[in-house]
Short mmCIF file of all heavy atoms in Angstrom, two decimals:
data_model
loop_
_atom_site.label_atom_id
_atom_site.label_comp_id
_atom_site.label_asym_id
_atom_site.label_seq_id
_atom_site.Cartn_x
_atom_site.Cartn_y
_atom_site.Cartn_z
N PRO A 284 90.43 102.08 66.22
CA PRO A 284 90.32 103.39 66.88
C PRO A 284 90.23 103.31 68.39
O PRO A 284 90.40 104.33 69.08
CB PRO A 284 89.02 103.96 66.28
CG PRO A 284 88.86 103.27 64.98
CD PRO A 284 89.40 101.90 65.19
N LEU A 285 89.94 102.15 68.93
CA LEU A 285 89.80 102.03 70.38
C LEU A 285 91.11 101.60 71.06
O LEU A 285 91.09 101.26 72.24
CB LEU A 285 88.71 101.00 70.71
CG LEU A 285 87.29 101.37 70.25
CD1 LEU A 285 86.34 100.25 70.60
CD2 LEU A 285 86.85 102.68 70.86
N SER A 286 92.23 101.58 70.33
CA SER A 286 93.48 101.10 70.91
C SER A 286 93.93 101.97 72.08
O SER A 286 94.46 101.47 73.09
CB SER A 286 94.57 101.06 69.84
OG SER A 286 94.75 102.35 69.26
N LYS A 287 93.76 103.30 71.96
CA LYS A 287 94.15 104.18 73.06
C LYS A 287 93.32 103.89 74.31
O LYS A 287 93.86 103.87 75.43
CB LYS A 287 94.00 105.64 72.65
CG LYS A 287 94.96 106.06 71.55
CD LYS A 287 94.78 107.55 71.22
CE LYS A 287 95.77 107.98 70.14
NZ LYS A 287 95.62 109.42 69.80
N HIS A 288 92.06 103.73 74.11
CA HIS A 288 91.21 103.41 75.26
C HIS A 288 91.60 102.07 75.87
O HIS A 288 91.56 101.90 77.09
CB HIS A 288 89.74 103.38 74.82
CG HIS A 288 89.22 104.69 74.36
ND1 HIS A 288 88.74 105.65 75.23
CD2 HIS A 288 89.12 105.23 73.12
CE1 HIS A 288 88.34 106.71 74.55
NE2 HIS A 288 88.56 106.48 73.25
N ARG A 289 92.01 101.15 75.01
CA ARG A 289 92.42 99.84 75.54
C ARG A 289 93.70 99.95 76.35
O ARG A 289 93.86 99.27 77.37
CB ARG A 289 92.59 98.87 74.36
CG ARG A 289 92.79 97.42 74.81
CD ARG A 289 92.88 96.45 73.65
NE ARG A 289 91.60 96.37 72.95
CZ ARG A 289 91.38 96.84 71.75
NH1 ARG A 289 92.34 97.46 71.08
NH2 ARG A 289 90.19 96.71 71.16
N MET A 290 94.63 100.76 75.91
CA MET A 290 95.87 100.96 76.67
C MET A 290 95.57 101.54 78.04
O MET A 290 96.15 101.14 79.06
CB MET A 290 96.81 101.87 75.89
CG MET A 290 97.42 101.22 74.65
SD MET A 290 98.43 99.78 75.05
CE MET A 290 99.70 100.55 76.07
N LEU A 291 94.67 102.52 78.06
CA LEU A 291 94.29 103.11 79.34
C LEU A 291 93.65 102.06 80.25
O LEU A 291 93.90 102.03 81.46
CB LEU A 291 93.33 104.28 79.11
CG LEU A 291 92.84 105.02 80.36
CD1 LEU A 291 94.01 105.59 81.15
CD2 LEU A 291 91.83 106.10 79.98
N LEU A 292 92.85 101.23 79.65
CA LEU A 292 92.21 100.17 80.44
C LEU A 292 93.25 99.20 81.00
O LEU A 292 93.12 98.70 82.13
CB LEU A 292 91.19 99.43 79.57
CG LEU A 292 90.39 98.32 80.26
CD1 LEU A 292 89.56 98.90 81.40
CD2 LEU A 292 89.49 97.59 79.27
N TRP A 293 94.30 98.90 80.20
CA TRP A 293 95.36 98.02 80.69
C TRP A 293 96.07 98.64 81.89
O TRP A 293 96.40 97.94 82.85
CB TRP A 293 96.37 97.76 79.57
CG TRP A 293 95.99 96.61 78.68
CD1 TRP A 293 95.56 96.67 77.39
CD2 TRP A 293 95.98 95.23 79.03
NE1 TRP A 293 95.30 95.42 76.90
CE2 TRP A 293 95.56 94.50 77.90
CE3 TRP A 293 96.29 94.54 80.20
CZ2 TRP A 293 95.43 93.12 77.89
CZ3 TRP A 293 96.18 93.15 80.19
CH2 TRP A 293 95.75 92.46 79.06
N MET A 294 96.32 99.94 81.82
CA MET A 294 96.96 100.61 82.97
C MET A 294 96.08 100.51 84.21
O MET A 294 96.57 100.21 85.31
CB MET A 294 97.25 102.07 82.62
CG MET A 294 98.31 102.25 81.53
SD MET A 294 98.54 103.98 81.09
CE MET A 294 99.11 104.64 82.66
N LEU A 295 94.81 100.77 84.02
CA LEU A 295 93.90 100.66 85.15
C LEU A 295 93.84 99.21 85.67
O LEU A 295 93.72 98.97 86.87
CB LEU A 295 92.50 101.12 84.74
CG LEU A 295 92.34 102.62 84.46
CD1 LEU A 295 90.95 102.91 83.92
CD2 LEU A 295 92.62 103.44 85.71
N SER A 296 93.93 98.29 84.75
CA SER A 296 93.87 96.88 85.15
C SER A 296 95.08 96.49 85.99
O SER A 296 94.96 95.71 86.95
CB SER A 296 93.79 95.99 83.89
OG SER A 296 92.65 96.26 83.14
N ILE A 297 96.27 96.99 85.60
CA ILE A 297 97.47 96.66 86.37
C ILE A 297 97.37 97.21 87.79
O ILE A 297 97.69 96.52 88.78
CB ILE A 297 98.71 97.21 85.65
CG1 ILE A 297 98.93 96.47 84.32
CG2 ILE A 297 99.95 97.06 86.53
CD1 ILE A 297 100.03 97.06 83.47
N ILE A 298 96.92 98.47 87.88
CA ILE A 298 96.76 99.05 89.23
C ILE A 298 95.72 98.26 90.02
O ILE A 298 95.91 97.94 91.20
CB ILE A 298 96.35 100.52 89.11
CG1 ILE A 298 97.47 101.32 88.44
CG2 ILE A 298 96.03 101.10 90.48
CD1 ILE A 298 97.08 102.75 88.13
N SER A 299 94.63 97.91 89.34
CA SER A 299 93.58 97.15 90.03
C SER A 299 94.08 95.77 90.44
O SER A 299 93.71 95.27 91.50
CB SER A 299 92.37 97.01 89.11
OG SER A 299 91.87 98.27 88.74
N LEU A 300 94.91 95.18 89.59
CA LEU A 300 95.43 93.86 89.92
C LEU A 300 96.24 93.89 91.20
O LEU A 300 96.13 92.97 92.04
CB LEU A 300 96.27 93.33 88.75
CG LEU A 300 96.88 91.95 88.93
CD1 LEU A 300 95.80 90.91 89.10
CD2 LEU A 300 97.78 91.59 87.74
N ALA A 301 97.06 94.93 91.35
CA ALA A 301 97.86 95.04 92.57
C ALA A 301 96.96 95.17 93.80
O ALA A 301 97.20 94.54 94.84
CB ALA A 301 98.80 96.24 92.46
N VAL A 302 95.92 95.98 93.65
CA VAL A 302 94.99 96.13 94.77
C VAL A 302 94.27 94.83 95.07
O VAL A 302 94.09 94.42 96.23
CB VAL A 302 93.98 97.26 94.45
CG1 VAL A 302 92.93 97.36 95.56
CG2 VAL A 302 94.71 98.59 94.30
N ILE A 303 93.87 94.14 93.99
CA ILE A 303 93.14 92.88 94.19
C ILE A 303 94.02 91.80 94.81
O ILE A 303 93.55 90.98 95.60
CB ILE A 303 92.56 92.41 92.83
CG1 ILE A 303 91.45 93.36 92.39
CG2 ILE A 303 92.04 90.99 92.92
CD1 ILE A 303 90.91 93.09 91.01
N LEU A 304 95.33 91.81 94.47
CA LEU A 304 96.22 90.83 95.07
C LEU A 304 96.32 91.02 96.58
O LEU A 304 96.29 90.05 97.35
CB LEU A 304 97.62 90.93 94.43
CG LEU A 304 97.73 90.40 92.99
CD1 LEU A 304 99.13 90.66 92.45
CD2 LEU A 304 97.40 88.91 92.94
N LEU A 305 96.44 92.30 96.97
CA LEU A 305 96.46 92.57 98.41
C LEU A 305 95.13 92.18 99.05
O LEU A 305 95.11 91.60 100.16
CB LEU A 305 96.75 94.05 98.65
CG LEU A 305 98.14 94.54 98.20
CD1 LEU A 305 98.25 96.05 98.38
CD2 LEU A 305 99.24 93.82 98.98
N PHE A 306 94.07 92.49 98.35
CA PHE A 306 92.75 92.13 98.87
C PHE A 306 92.59 90.60 98.96
O PHE A 306 92.04 90.07 99.93
CB PHE A 306 91.68 92.71 97.95
CG PHE A 306 90.28 92.38 98.33
CD1 PHE A 306 89.67 92.97 99.43
CD2 PHE A 306 89.55 91.45 97.59
CE1 PHE A 306 88.37 92.65 99.78
CE2 PHE A 306 88.25 91.13 97.94
CZ PHE A 306 87.66 91.73 99.04
N SER A 307 93.13 89.88 97.95
CA SER A 307 93.02 88.42 97.95
C SER A 307 93.82 87.80 99.09
O SER A 307 93.40 86.80 99.68
CB SER A 307 93.53 87.87 96.60
OG SER A 307 92.76 88.37 95.53
N LEU A 308 94.99 88.38 99.38
CA LEU A 308 95.79 87.88 100.49
C LEU A 308 95.03 88.01 101.80
O LEU A 308 95.03 87.09 102.64
CB LEU A 308 97.12 88.63 100.56
CG LEU A 308 98.06 88.23 101.70
CD1 LEU A 308 98.45 86.76 101.58
CD2 LEU A 308 99.29 89.12 101.72
N TRP A 309 94.38 89.13 101.94
CA TRP A 309 93.60 89.34 103.16
C TRP A 309 92.42 88.36 103.23
O TRP A 309 92.12 87.78 104.28
CB TRP A 309 93.09 90.80 103.18
CG TRP A 309 92.26 91.12 104.38
CD1 TRP A 309 92.68 91.17 105.67
CD2 TRP A 309 90.88 91.45 104.38
NE1 TRP A 309 91.65 91.51 106.50
CE2 TRP A 309 90.50 91.70 105.72
CE3 TRP A 309 89.92 91.59 103.38
CZ2 TRP A 309 89.22 92.06 106.09
CZ3 TRP A 309 88.64 91.96 103.75
CH2 TRP A 309 88.29 92.18 105.09
N ILE A 310 91.75 88.16 102.07
CA ILE A 310 90.65 87.20 102.02
C ILE A 310 91.13 85.78 102.31
O ILE A 310 90.46 84.99 102.98
CB ILE A 310 89.95 87.26 100.64
CG1 ILE A 310 89.21 88.58 100.47
CG2 ILE A 310 88.99 86.09 100.45
CD1 ILE A 310 88.05 88.76 101.41
N TYR A 311 92.35 85.45 101.80
CA TYR A 311 92.90 84.12 102.05
C TYR A 311 93.07 83.86 103.54
O TYR A 311 92.70 82.80 104.05
CB TYR A 311 94.23 83.98 101.33
CG TYR A 311 94.97 82.70 101.67
CD1 TYR A 311 94.60 81.50 101.07
CD2 TYR A 311 95.99 82.69 102.60
CE1 TYR A 311 95.25 80.32 101.38
CE2 TYR A 311 96.65 81.52 102.92
CZ TYR A 311 96.28 80.34 102.31
OH TYR A 311 96.92 79.17 102.63
#
Side-chain angles (χ1 to χ4, degrees):
L285 296 178
S286 58
K287 293 182 179 180
H288 295 276
R289 190 176 293 110
M290 289 298 298
L291 180 59
L292 183 62
W293 273 109
M294 293 177 62
L295 291 174
S296 299
I297 293 173
I298 296 173
S299 301
L300 180 61
V302 175
I303 291 174
L304 288 176
L305 295 175
F306 178 73
S307 300
L308 179 61
W309 180 66
I310 291 294
Y311 173 80

